[in-house]
Amino acid sequence: MLAREETATDNCMEVLFRQAITTAKEIKTDISFDRGNCSAATAAIMHLQKRGAVFSGKKALVIGNGMMGKLTAQALMEAGAQVTVTVRQYHSGTVDIPEGAQRINYGERYEKLADTDYVFSATASPNLTITPDRLSGMVLDGKTFVDLAVPRDIDPAVGDLAGVRLLCMDDLDMEQLSEEQKEQLAHAQEKISEALAEFERFFYGRDLIPRIGRFADEMADDLWGRMRKDCAGLDESQRRHVEQAAKRSGSKVAAHILFALRDGLDADTFAHCMQVLERDRS
């Protein structure tokens, strides 16, 4: 709404934004990224160890107490880290966390950062768990943030802060991910590709939409012109009713056919088809 008021958006941006949100929700609903494996956490730990990271005796904060959060906490503890897990306040009395790990309420996560070397975020929440504005004024030099969520938990801008190292799923060696997780990521990418293709059809065909409407109306007029003689025996009221019905239905049928062609052909081919049809009408 604000972008519209400030004339900072247009129809294309609104369609793109709406499609991005819809696709993200579909991925979130249809694909479970945190089921049954800790390969992402293990891969992240191995990735950091290969680059000199040490976990033994270090303090790690795990944001998220779902399946992936628990597995991440366990992997960090096995690497020698002292682990604290966030829990939602309304779950604080019932949530099961790995034995030996400490817990804090989710709302206290930023306060805990001052005493933390590694932050792993692995939630199923649609909201960001760490944002750069909340890190303002903190001493961050040497801290490592690891985002194991898809879509992402940690704002990518956190990686631009001085002294911070940010690792996300894109940085992991895919060979270290389980077959299940590879399949899940491939499924998500397929949905994104389909959404991009749909937006491209809209974007490159948007200028043709008024032409489709005009051509469909012309086809409806042509249909009525061919029916007129057959309706000569009707009285004026009946003829007017048939004319309106013929034009309305004819326009809808013609538009339906043209939009089906638009969706089934590449942009250049459909544009050429429209040129041929319009030339034939002129």
Side-chain angles (χ1 to χ4, degrees):
M1 183 65 71
L2 180 60
R4 289 177 182 172
E5 293 174 355
E6 299 296 330
T7 64
T9 187
D10 57 16
N11 177 255
C12 287
M13 286 298 297
E14 290 185 4
V15 171
L16 179 60
F17 182 78
R18 182 170 61 250
Q19 197 149 23
I21 294 297
T22 299
T23 302
K25 287 182 178 179
E26 289 178 356
I27 291 173
K28 190 71 173 178
T29 300
D30 298 341
I31 305 173
S32 298
F33 288 97
D34 61 345
R35 256 183 217 164
N37 71 80
C38 60
S39 57
T42 301
I45 292 171
M46 293 176 61
H47 178 96
L48 290 167
Q49 287 175 329
K50 288 178 180 178
R51 288 154 180 78
V54 175
F55 289 90
S56 181
K58 299 295 184 179
K59 296 181 179 179
L61 174 66
V62 176
I63 301 175
N65 59 313
M67 176 66 74
M68 193 62 184
K70 293 175 184 176
L71 294 171
T72 300
Q74 190 63 50
L76 284 165
M77 291 171 65
E78 291 173 0
Q82 301 174 33
V83 177
T84 300
V85 180
T86 68
V87 298
R88 296 289 184 177
Q89 190 167 13
Y90 54 85
H91 281 160
S92 59
T94 60
V95 169
D96 179 31
I97 64 174
E99 184 177 353
Q102 297 180 342
R103 69 170 68 194
I104 60 169
N105 290 331
Y106 174 79
E108 300 171 355
R109 63 197 184 282
Y110 285 104
E111 288 79 355
K112 185 65 176 177
L113 288 181
D115 189 36
T116 300
D117 302 295
Y118 298 95
V119 179
F120 283 68
S121 191
T123 78
S125 171
N127 302 314
L128 294 172
T129 58
I130 298 291
T131 57
D133 56 301
R134 294 291 301 275
L135 300 177
S136 177
M138 293 188 185
V139 178
L140 301 173
D141 191 42
K143 295 188 185 297
T144 298
F145 292 80
V146 181
D147 191 341
L148 298 178
V150 181
R152 295 179 68 163
D153 268 355
I154 300 176
D155 191 323
V158 170
D160 297 329
L161 299 176
V164 167
R165 175 166 49 179
L166 174 62
L167 182 69
C168 68
M169 290 291 288
D170 292 339
D171 300 314
L172 302 183
D173 182 357
M174 291 299 292
E175 292 302 314
Q176 297 181 29
L177 299 180
S178 70
E179 290 302 319
E180 180 186 2
Q181 197 160 38
K182 291 178 186 179
E183 184 177 345
Q184 291 166 343
L185 291 172
H187 189 188
Q189 185 59 55
E190 182 180 351
K191 281 185 172 290
I192 293 172
S193 296
E194 290 173 356
L196 282 173
E198 184 177 343
F199 177 75
E200 286 179 358
R201 285 195 296 271
F202 158 76
F203 183 80
Y204 292 110
R206 68 194 190 284
D207 293 336
L208 292 172
I209 292 177
R211 291 166 60 188
I212 290 175
R214 288 193 297 269
F215 187 81
D217 289 341
E218 291 175 4
M219 292 296 292
D221 290 338
D222 184 67
L223 173 64
W224 170 243
R226 296 172 187 271
M227 293 176 59
R228 189 188 299 271
K229 290 183 180 179
D230 296 327
C231 297
L234 301 176
D235 61 39
E236 181 63 21
S237 176
Q238 292 173 325
R239 188 200 62 78
R240 187 179 304 109
H241 177 75
V242 173
E243 177 183 0
Q244 291 174 350
K247 288 185 176 181
R248 182 173 60 252
S249 299
S251 179
K252 288 182 178 179
V253 170
H256 177 78
I257 293 172
L258 290 172
F259 278 116
L261 285 173
R262 184 200 66 171
D263 292 341
L265 300 174
D266 64 81
D268 291 338
T269 301
F270 179 68
H272 179 68
C273 288
M274 284 297 299
Q275 289 175 357
V276 172
L277 289 170
E278 290 170 332
R279 185 167 60 244
D280 182 65
R281 295 288 301 166
S282 60

